[in-house]
Amino acid sequence: MGSRFKWFLLILTLIVCSILFRLYKMDTYQFIKSGTLEIAQVKTKAASSFSERIVEPGIIFVETTDKVEPSPLAVCSVESAARLNPEKKVYYFMKGLSGKLSQYPHPNYTGIPLLSAISNVVLVPMNVTELFENTPLDKWYQKVNPELEKYWIHVLADGCRIALVWKYGGIYLDTDIISIKPLPIANFTTLEHDTSLGNAAFGFHIKHHQFVLECMKDFVANYIGHIWGHQGPKLITRVLRRWCKFNDTDKLAVEECNGITVCNQRRFAPIPYPSWTRYFDSWKKEDIESFFSGTYGAHVWNYMNSGMTKKVIAGSGSLIEHFFQMYCPTTYRSFIQFPKNPESIRT
């Protein structure tokens, strides 16, 4: 009887251990899947090329500083794009990211763990030298002296976005654009005014599109880094005027031109930048639905907020709080409702 009981205990122990091991494997798999999401794809040898890491055209965001804790607005922008476009990859290229998620643990970091848990978000360490290889921007980057540049971070961001869309295709969005509708991957640029385009949102459905190549050529040939916007919105405007054979005074408010859609302001900039504080006003729900009915993404114009410290405040009833609640609820909970450091929360 004692022998049978021992055998029973042994078999029971083995069964329990087997179950616990399976649960451990499942939990570990889920942790790897959510905690290092897609970053495993980019933990390759330094010699590996960017093209091996990008599996298909998607939605592109870029951080050209070395910071690795994205702002609440940047996290919201990425989350909202991922939620509204679940069938698309959302790539967040970060210059300061090492590729080892263990270096950015929660609760010391909030943004990276949050974004890495979203199934279609791909966090990509960005090597700028590698990115510019075999493009017209390569020689410019080797010669330019960042310390002498007035707007270096902005100019670098202007160059990175066109190089990324050239190499991989897809849609580029600034990290202060909150997506509120699914985005079609098509050839498009966006109006900021009747006579000028912006470069906060644009897309091309294939890589190596000739228009984007012309943008890189113009970036180098007509480089004037000390003039704000010359390498960004003004560049896109110059190239489109040549592409469509418009003169310098023609209005650009056309629906389509030589294979490129020109989106009107309501698609991505329904509130123009001089009125950016409207995002922090209270709005009625019916007014929001009506005003943004034709909008893909709301450009919040965060650079206008750099000296005014406008905040997303829980319970304020502001338009931007509404967008956080609706389109990036995880960001809202982590950064706005229950922030680890309430004093630091700005857009």
Side-chain angles (χ1 to χ4, degrees):
M1 188 71 177
S3 177
R4 288 183 179 180
F5 182 73
K6 288 181 181 179
W7 275 107
F8 171 79
L9 286 179
L10 177 60
I11 294 171
L12 180 63
T13 301
L14 289 173
I15 291 172
V16 170
C17 289
S18 176
I19 292 171
L20 289 174
F21 179 70
R22 287 175 178 273
L23 288 172
Y24 169 78
K25 285 183 70 178
M26 287 175 64
D27 185 63
T28 301
Y29 169 75
Q30 290 299 325
F31 171 77
I32 292 172
K33 184 180 179 184
S34 62
T36 64
L37 166 81
E38 302 291 353
I39 213 163
Q41 294 183 8
V42 300
K43 287 173 65 178
T44 54
K45 294 181 180 180
S48 66
S49 69
F50 267 55
S51 59
E52 294 173 357
R53 305 169 184 177
I54 312 304
V55 295
E56 61 191 56
I59 300 170
I60 294 169
F61 294 91
V62 179
E63 175 56 64
T64 50
T65 71
D66 289 327
K67 70 178 184 179
V68 290
E69 180 65 306
S71 71
L73 180 55
V75 177
C76 179
S77 297
V78 177
E79 181 188 347
S80 64
R83 283 180 176 272
L84 284 163
N85 302 274
E87 78 290 353
K88 296 182 179 70
K89 293 293 185 183
V90 177
Y91 303 104
Y92 193 7
F93 291 85
M94 303 181 73
K95 181 172 173 286
L97 191 70
S98 71
K100 296 180 180 179
L101 202 62
S102 59
Q103 294 184 2
Y104 315 106
H106 184 79
N108 296 331
Y109 294 86
T110 303
I112 296 300
L114 188 158
L115 292 175
S116 68
I118 301 173
S119 62
N120 59 327
V121 170
V122 185
L123 302 175
V124 188
M126 183 172 68
N127 182 317
V128 179
T129 300
E130 181 184 340
L131 172 62
F132 289 163
E133 282 179 359
N134 302 315
T135 77
L137 301 177
D138 189 13
K139 290 184 179 179
W140 163 80
Y141 186 65
Q142 292 178 28
K143 293 179 180 179
V144 70
N145 185 348
E147 294 182 1
L148 301 179
E149 294 293 320
K150 186 176 181 180
Y151 301 115
W152 173 245
I153 294 300
H154 301 283
V155 167
L156 180 61
D158 290 334
C160 287
R161 68 189 69 182
I162 55 177
L164 287 167
V165 174
W166 157 254
K167 283 199 167 184
Y168 310 119
I171 299 168
Y172 169 82
L173 295 178
D174 271 357
T175 51
D176 60 350
I177 293 180
I178 300 174
S179 294
I180 62 178
K181 282 187 177 65
L183 293 166
I185 293 185
N187 302 332
F188 76 90
T189 58
T190 54
L191 277 175
E192 280 190 5
H193 311 286
D194 285 345
T195 58
S196 64
L197 302 172
N199 71 335
F202 62 95
F204 290 86
H205 74 287
I206 59 170
K207 61 182 181 179
H208 300 165
H209 194 282
Q210 185 65 31
F211 180 88
V212 188
L213 178 60
E214 294 302 320
C215 287
M216 290 191 292
K217 290 179 179 178
D218 187 285
F219 188 101
V220 177
N222 298 304
Y223 183 76
I224 307 177
H226 65 270
I227 297 178
W228 176 262
H230 187 81
Q231 302 304 120
K234 293 178 182 178
L235 180 149
I236 299 287
T237 303
R238 291 193 301 271
V239 175
L240 188 82
R241 287 190 179 280
R242 292 197 300 269
W243 184 266
C244 298
K245 297 180 170 58
F246 291 152
N247 62 43
D248 291 342
T249 59
D250 285 340
K251 290 186 177 182
L252 300 177
V254 295
E255 291 186 1
E256 193 273 344
C257 172
N258 201 9
I260 297 176
T261 298
V262 180
C263 294
N264 65 43
Q265 292 96 320
R266 299 202 69 81
R267 293 300 190 191
F268 292 95
I271 296 178
Y273 75 88
S275 302
W276 68 275
T277 56
R278 293 186 65 190
Y279 283 107
F280 296 88
D281 295 338
S282 296
W283 287 52
K284 295 179 180 179
K285 183 178 179 180
E286 58 268 25
D287 293 338
I288 295 173
E289 293 174 352
S290 173
F291 190 85
F292 293 93
S293 62
T295 301
Y296 288 126
H299 194 180
V300 180
W301 308 105
N302 194 51
Y303 75 90
M304 299 291 292
N305 192 24
S306 58
M308 303 210 35
T309 64
K310 287 282 189 180
K311 298 179 181 180
V312 184
I313 300 173
S316 66
S318 66
L319 175 60
I320 195 166
E321 185 197 12
H322 172 79
F323 283 161
F324 268 65
Q325 290 172 317
M326 287 290 293
Y327 304 113
C328 55
T330 307
T331 303
Y332 181 75
R333 288 192 298 270
S334 298
F335 283 94
I336 310 304
Q337 271 190 311
F338 310 109
K340 64 178 182 179
N341 183 4
E343 296 301 317
S344 68
I345 298 304
R346 259 186 56 207
T347 55

